[in-house]
Amino acid sequence: MQHAKPLPAYLIQRFHGWRATSYQDNKAWFKRLAERGQHPRAMVISCCDSRVHVTSIFGADEGEFFIHRNVANLVPPYNPDGEYHGTSAAVEYAVRALKVAHVVVLGHSSCGGVKGCHDMCAGLAPELLEKSSFVGRWMDILRPGFERTADVADAEERVKAMEKQAVLISLENLMTFPFVRDAVENDHLTLHGLWTNTGEGELHQFDPAIGSFAAV
Amino acid sequence: MQHAKPLPAYLIQRFHGWRATSYQDNKAWFKRLAERGQHPRAMVISCCDSRVHVTSIFGADEGEFFIHRNVANLVPPYNPDGEYHGTSAAVEYAVRALKVAHVVVLGHSSCGGVKGCHDMCAGLAPELLEKSSFVGRWMDILRPGFERTADVADAEERVKAMEKQAVLISLENLMTFPFVRDAVENDHLTLHGLWTNTGEGELHQFDPAIGSFAAV
Amino acid sequence: MQHAKPLPAYLIQRFHGWRATSYQDNKAWFKRLAERGQHPRAMVISCCDSRVHVTSIFGADEGEFFIHRNVANLVPPYNPDGEYHGTSAAVEYAVRALKVAHVVVLGHSSCGGVKGCHDMCAGLAPELLEKSSFVGRWMDILRPGFERTADVADAEERVKAMEKQAVLISLENLMTFPFVRDAVENDHLTLHGLWTNTGEGELHQFDPAIGSFAAV
Amino acid sequence: MQHAKPLPAYLIQRFHGWRATSYQDNKAWFKRLAERGQHPRAMVISCCDSRVHVTSIFGADEGEFFIHRNVANLVPPYNPDGEYHGTSAAVEYAVRALKVAHVVVLGHSSCGGVKGCHDMCAGLAPELLEKSSFVGRWMDILRPGFERTADVADAEERVKAMEKQAVLISLENLMTFPFVRDAVENDHLTLHGLWTNTGEGELHQFDPAIGSFAAV
């Protein structure tokens, strides 16, 4: 792999700083995690967006959360066709191998992926319709979210509503996985739907009793 | 979505702690990131493993890294077949929309996904061979890494060698994406291969001059 | 400009070393910063003193901090009289054009400018009182810091107290700029007061709750 | 100063990392610099721009350069009127107190301040003409650079030419300071004019023999 380059010096400096402080102070825990394996309590599915740090907002230590991050925190429907399914593999590993007790889907404000899906469905982003657009095809998962928000006239409000649909559709798709449904029905797993407004530092969770999201 | 449950109280409590401290102190930055968008300098592809916190080891603030996490930090080869490809969508978004300057693939020690691939290829985990195994099919991406390490007799050593192959094969697969290759060849993107020993707090990077990984 | 001389050879040699290493490794980031502009998260106002390297102590990459350095890290009061005000121009550019989220004033130990102000106010440096002394007139900004430390008998201790006053007076003067005050009151900007003991490698920050500086 | 806020946690973490590594490894030098004072070899006047790290491109250690950074690396003409002159104070301190051997003015590509001056002079930025615009009034120093580049038709090329004029006009203004002129004429000080293209990693210096800048 002749294209690999050395890491920029400031990142190496920062790593050595971490090693001399956080690692040094917490070494026993790191060693135990390495020797006895991880036992995370929850899987979190969040966006790749650089503004969403699930370990920060939940004060998480190493070892607590098994975290999958993809564009727009989406889970596709169950489809065991023998092809590569990174998200489904992560869910399977978390639920069947690690036996996490919670799967949390965390959506967020100003999501570029959701905005792209809106624009694609609204006919404003033809390039995302091309077969070769990985982002476009991935965001197809959220197409039902565009349909369901048809009554939201304001485009900005509709994108925000679609960000929450991305959470709900992912939760629905999770339930199409037999091993997820079994675990949920046998009380071995609970699902949670969250949406965070990163600018305002707010966290909302889906409440099935009222059928919508409310601030925690 | 009637299956969603309220978040456990301790997580809500921690969130409020974060909101009263880190968010409060850094509110102006969060607001600016929300209003003016993210401009991350790098994409990091790391494992979902709960022991790997890239934001910690690199002292990263919100806004610095666009982070994709999947099982075993793998990138599949370029294959624009119109299906869902979460990893390829994340790479496309980072390189084409965000125009990150670096893509860093970060492997790690004691990777459960890599161990599974080893066992599957060695005939020790027949369940992973089934078409319906998402983890098995996802780990097929790493099969060439099993072949290339055939000369490593000790199984534990071979798994460790395969962890590094997971990084190298991902880097090779990244170069099969035309927009990645173009950006690399035009000096608009550099690729980096890292492997961290989480128990020992070590970071190794691939050095093409010597053809192997060396501690930073 | 017939007085310009060629750069000493050792600096040219060092530059070529940087170009062959750091620049080469980080070229994609430098190109992106050039093409897409800077988006620094913070402005830092520090002293010109050769012992204060803010990029080192905060492991900063190119693109992170907008840095203004002047004698004794001072900000004069708001005074839009149409004359040249280099510090005010830097603050205005950072807050209004770049919309930084933080302004950090970083004072330091053994500050020659602060020592000069002390000596001038104590009648020990008459040459600094002359109208033609740029350093003397610039240090006039810190005169209230001499008054406020009148109860510190030991001269060395008083100079150290004045170094911290230089930070506080600058923060107070920053708040006299209408656009700074607005941004602070609207939660788009936070101000921070730091003082570093360069010999001991210590960093102290001002805590308004206790009204003094404490080690981080 | 009730408006001061605590430093964001990631910066405190990075500082502790620096303290545990770079400071620890270089402690003797930091202590000596604190005890015996700074003896920098050169003053560098560069821009506040986050992309210009003079300590990086010249591999500078703590103690080597006395660095003044302002918008567009400008030096105003000598004007001892008793008002605050931050740049003039820095020059006076460097030349008279520290007796540096070199003053280096370092301009750079894509300078927002120079662009603003161009637009202001070309009638494209009326807001910069207002008396209350600190950036506008500061950039008045560069007005002669707009006149001198009148023959450059292309606006982008003219801005680049003005970036170099910012260096030359600063060098000319430096020579209006009697103590600078004396030191230069008595061979106690040399002046240097540089311009760096941050995206390309290039460094150019002014050569009076050819009357223009050439790559080092």
Side-chain angles (χ1 to χ4, degrees):
Chain A
M1 219 295 134
Q2 79 278 21
H3 292 285
K5 282 278 179 20
L7 211 56
Y10 73 95
L11 288 181
I12 292 182
Q13 181 187 328
R14 288 191 198 172
F15 167 75
H16 283 296
W18 169 83
R19 179 173 158 79
T21 53
S22 299
Y23 172 74
Q24 199 61 34
D25 297 342
N26 212 10
K27 194 194 279 187
W29 177 240
F30 283 106
K31 282 185 182 294
R32 194 192 114 175
L33 275 177
E35 284 162 18
R36 296 169 65 93
Q38 59 174 335
H39 298 86
R41 65 192 76 226
M43 176 187 197
V44 181
I45 299 171
S46 83
C47 187
C48 301
D49 192 296
S50 66
R51 295 166 291 194
V52 181
H53 279 195
V54 69
T55 50
S56 298
I57 67 176
F58 289 130
D61 193 14
E62 277 78 2
E64 284 199 278
F65 297 142
F66 183 81
I67 303 175
H68 174 58
R69 296 178 67 168
N70 64 35
V71 173
N73 38 270
L74 292 174
V75 178
Y78 180 69
N79 180 22
D81 60 1
E83 302 293 326
Y84 303 143
H85 292 288
T87 297
S88 303
V91 171
E92 183 182 280
Y93 193 82
V95 174
R96 303 193 75 175
L98 297 174
K99 300 198 186 300
V100 295
H102 306 276
V103 176
V104 179
V105 179
L106 172 64
H108 71 103
S109 55
S110 310
C111 182
V114 172
K115 176 71 162 53
C117 181
H118 171 274
D119 292 355
M120 173 176 73
C121 296
L124 304 168
E127 71 283 7
L128 290 174
L129 292 169
E130 288 170 25
K131 190 181 171 191
S132 64
S133 167
F134 291 113
V135 171
R137 301 297 58 72
W138 180 247
M139 295 310 304
D140 281 343
I141 299 172
L142 184 55
R143 278 182 175 273
F146 182 75
E147 311 301 331
R148 295 183 197 172
T149 55
D151 59 331
V152 185
D154 181 71
E156 210 173 311
E157 284 304 309
R158 189 170 186 180
V159 169
K160 200 182 275 191
M162 286 177 68
E163 287 165 359
K164 290 168 181 171
Q165 285 297 325
V167 176
L168 297 179
I169 287 169
S170 292
L171 291 173
E172 290 162 18
N173 287 344
L174 277 169
M175 288 298 283
T176 65
F177 288 70
F179 52 83
V180 171
R181 174 167 289 277
D182 282 357
V184 167
E185 290 178 347
N186 294 323
D187 285 340
H188 280 76
L189 180 67
T190 51
L191 306 183
H192 309 270
L194 303 177
W195 176 84
T196 177
N197 183 329
T198 63
E200 298 302 319
E202 291 173 353
L203 185 66
H204 296 245
Q205 69 178 330
F206 182 71
D207 180 350
I210 58 172
S212 67
F213 285 75
V216 300
Chain B
M1 218 295 133
Q2 79 279 21
H3 293 284
K5 285 280 187 341
L7 212 55
Y10 73 95
L11 288 181
I12 291 182
Q13 186 179 324
R14 287 194 199 172
F15 167 75
H16 283 295
W18 169 81
R19 182 172 159 78
T21 53
S22 298
Y23 173 73
Q24 199 58 36
D25 297 343
N26 213 8
K27 193 193 281 186
W29 177 240
F30 284 106
K31 281 184 183 293
R32 191 191 121 172
L33 275 176
E35 285 164 16
R36 293 168 67 91
Q38 59 174 335
H39 297 85
R41 65 191 74 225
M43 175 187 199
V44 180
I45 299 172
S46 83
C47 188
C48 301
D49 192 296
S50 65
R51 295 166 289 194
V52 181
H53 278 196
V54 69
T55 49
S56 298
I57 67 176
F58 289 130
D61 191 16
E62 277 78 3
E64 283 198 279
F65 297 141
F66 183 81
I67 303 177
H68 174 56
R69 296 178 67 168
N70 63 36
V71 174
N73 38 270
L74 291 174
V75 177
Y78 179 69
N79 180 23
D81 61 2
E83 303 293 326
Y84 303 144
H85 292 288
T87 298
S88 303
V91 171
E92 182 181 280
Y93 193 80
V95 174
R96 301 192 76 174
L98 297 174
K99 299 196 185 302
V100 296
H102 306 277
V103 175
V104 178
V105 179
L106 173 63
H108 71 102
S109 56
S110 311
C111 182
V114 171
K115 176 72 163 53
C117 181
H118 170 273
D119 292 355
M120 172 175 75
C121 295
L124 304 169
E127 73 282 7
L128 289 174
L129 291 168
E130 287 170 25
K131 190 181 172 190
S132 65
S133 167
F134 291 115
V135 172
R137 299 298 61 70
W138 180 248
M139 294 311 304
D140 282 343
I141 299 171
L142 185 55
R143 279 181 174 275
F146 182 74
E147 311 301 331
R148 294 184 197 172
T149 56
D151 59 332
V152 184
D154 180 70
E156 209 173 312
E157 283 305 308
R158 189 170 185 180
V159 170
K160 199 182 276 189
M162 286 176 69
E163 287 165 2
K164 290 168 181 171
Q165 286 297 326
V167 175
L168 296 180
I169 288 168
S170 292
L171 291 174
E172 289 162 16
N173 287 343
L174 277 169
M175 289 297 283
T176 65
F177 288 71
F179 50 84
V180 171
R181 175 169 287 278
D182 280 358
V184 167
E185 290 179 347
N186 293 324
D187 285 338
H188 279 76
L189 180 67
T190 51
L191 306 182
H192 308 269
L194 302 177
W195 177 84
T196 176
N197 183 329
T198 63
E200 300 301 321
E202 290 172 356
L203 186 67
H204 296 244
Q205 69 177 330
F206 182 72
D207 179 350
I210 59 172
S212 67
F213 284 75
V216 300
Chain C
M1 218 295 133
Q2 79 279 22
H3 293 283
K5 284 281 187 342
L7 212 55
Y10 73 96
L11 288 181
I12 291 182
Q13 187 180 323
R14 288 193 198 173
F15 167 75
H16 282 294
W18 170 82
R19 182 171 159 79
T21 55
S22 298
Y23 173 73
Q24 197 60 34
D25 298 342
N26 213 10
K27 193 193 280 186
W29 176 240
F30 284 105
K31 281 184 184 292
R32 191 190 121 174
L33 276 176
E35 285 164 17
R36 293 167 67 92
Q38 59 175 334
H39 298 86
R41 66 191 72 225
M43 176 188 198
V44 181
I45 299 172
S46 82
C47 187
C48 301
D49 193 295
S50 64
R51 294 166 291 193
V52 181
H53 278 195
V54 69
T55 49
S56 298
I57 68 176
F58 289 130
D61 191 17
E62 277 79 2
E64 282 199 280
F65 298 141
F66 183 81
I67 303 175
H68 173 57
R69 296 178 68 167
N70 64 35
V71 174
N73 38 270
L74 291 174
V75 177
Y78 179 70
N79 181 22
D81 61 0
E83 302 294 326
Y84 302 144
H85 292 287
T87 297
S88 303
V91 171
E92 183 181 281
Y93 193 80
V95 174
R96 301 193 75 175
L98 297 174
K99 299 196 187 300
V100 295
H102 306 277
V103 176
V104 179
V105 179
L106 173 64
H108 71 102
S109 56
S110 310
C111 182
V114 171
K115 175 72 162 51
C117 181
H118 170 274
D119 292 356
M120 171 176 75
C121 295
L124 305 168
E127 72 282 8
L128 289 175
L129 291 169
E130 287 171 25
K131 190 182 172 189
S132 65
S133 167
F134 291 114
V135 172
R137 299 298 59 71
W138 178 249
M139 295 310 304
D140 281 343
I141 299 171
L142 184 55
R143 279 182 173 273
F146 183 74
E147 311 301 330
R148 294 182 197 173
T149 55
D151 59 331
V152 185
D154 181 71
E156 210 173 310
E157 284 304 308
R158 190 170 185 179
V159 169
K160 199 183 275 191
M162 287 177 68
E163 287 166 0
K164 290 168 181 172
Q165 285 297 325
V167 175
L168 296 180
I169 287 169
S170 292
L171 290 173
E172 289 162 17
N173 286 344
L174 277 169
M175 288 297 283
T176 65
F177 288 71
F179 51 84
V180 171
R181 173 168 289 277
D182 281 357
V184 168
E185 290 179 349
N186 293 324
D187 286 338
H188 279 74
L189 179 67
T190 51
L191 306 183
H192 308 269
L194 302 177
W195 176 85
T196 177
N197 183 330
T198 62
E200 300 301 320
E202 290 173 357
L203 185 66
H204 296 244
Q205 69 177 329
F206 182 72
D207 179 350
I210 58 172
S212 68
F213 284 75
V216 299
Chain D
M1 219 298 131
Q2 79 277 22
H3 292 286
K5 282 277 180 19
L7 211 56
Y10 73 95
L11 288 180
I12 291 181
Q13 180 187 327
R14 288 192 199 170
F15 167 75
H16 282 295
W18 170 82
R19 178 172 160 79
T21 52
S22 299
Y23 173 72
Q24 200 60 34
D25 297 341
N26 212 11
K27 196 193 280 187
W29 177 239
F30 284 105
K31 282 185 183 294
R32 193 192 116 176
L33 275 176
E35 284 161 17
R36 295 168 66 93
Q38 59 174 336
H39 298 86
R41 64 192 76 226
M43 176 187 198
V44 180
I45 299 171
S46 83
C47 188
C48 301
D49 192 296
S50 66
R51 295 167 290 194
V52 180
H53 279 197
V54 68
T55 49
S56 298
I57 66 176
F58 289 128
D61 193 14
E62 277 78 1
E64 283 199 280
F65 297 142
F66 183 81
I67 303 176
H68 173 58
R69 296 179 67 168
N70 63 35
V71 174
N73 37 269
L74 292 174
V75 178
Y78 180 69
N79 180 22
D81 60 2
E83 302 293 326
Y84 303 143
H85 292 288
T87 298
S88 303
V91 171
E92 182 181 281
Y93 193 81
V95 174
R96 302 193 73 174
L98 297 174
K99 301 198 185 300
V100 296
H102 306 276
V103 175
V104 178
V105 179
L106 173 63
H108 71 102
S109 55
S110 309
C111 182
V114 171
K115 176 73 161 53
C117 181
H118 170 274
D119 292 355
M120 171 176 74
C121 295
L124 305 169
E127 72 283 6
L128 290 174
L129 291 169
E130 287 170 26
K131 190 182 170 190
S132 64
S133 167
F134 291 115
V135 172
R137 299 297 60 69
W138 179 250
M139 295 310 305
D140 281 343
I141 299 171
L142 183 56
R143 278 182 175 274
F146 183 75
E147 311 301 332
R148 295 183 197 170
T149 55
D151 58 332
V152 184
D154 181 71
E156 210 174 310
E157 284 304 307
R158 189 171 186 179
V159 169
K160 198 182 275 191
M162 285 177 70
E163 288 165 0
K164 290 169 180 170
Q165 285 297 326
V167 175
L168 296 179
I169 287 169
S170 292
L171 291 174
E172 290 162 17
N173 287 344
L174 277 169
M175 289 297 284
T176 65
F177 288 70
F179 51 85
V180 171
R181 173 167 290 277
D182 281 357
V184 168
E185 291 178 348
N186 293 323
D187 285 339
H188 280 77
L189 179 66
T190 52
L191 306 182
H192 309 270
L194 303 177
W195 176 85
T196 176
N197 183 330
T198 63
E200 299 301 320
E202 291 173 352
L203 186 66
H204 297 243
Q205 68 177 331
F206 182 71
D207 179 350
I210 59 172
S212 67
F213 284 75
V216 300

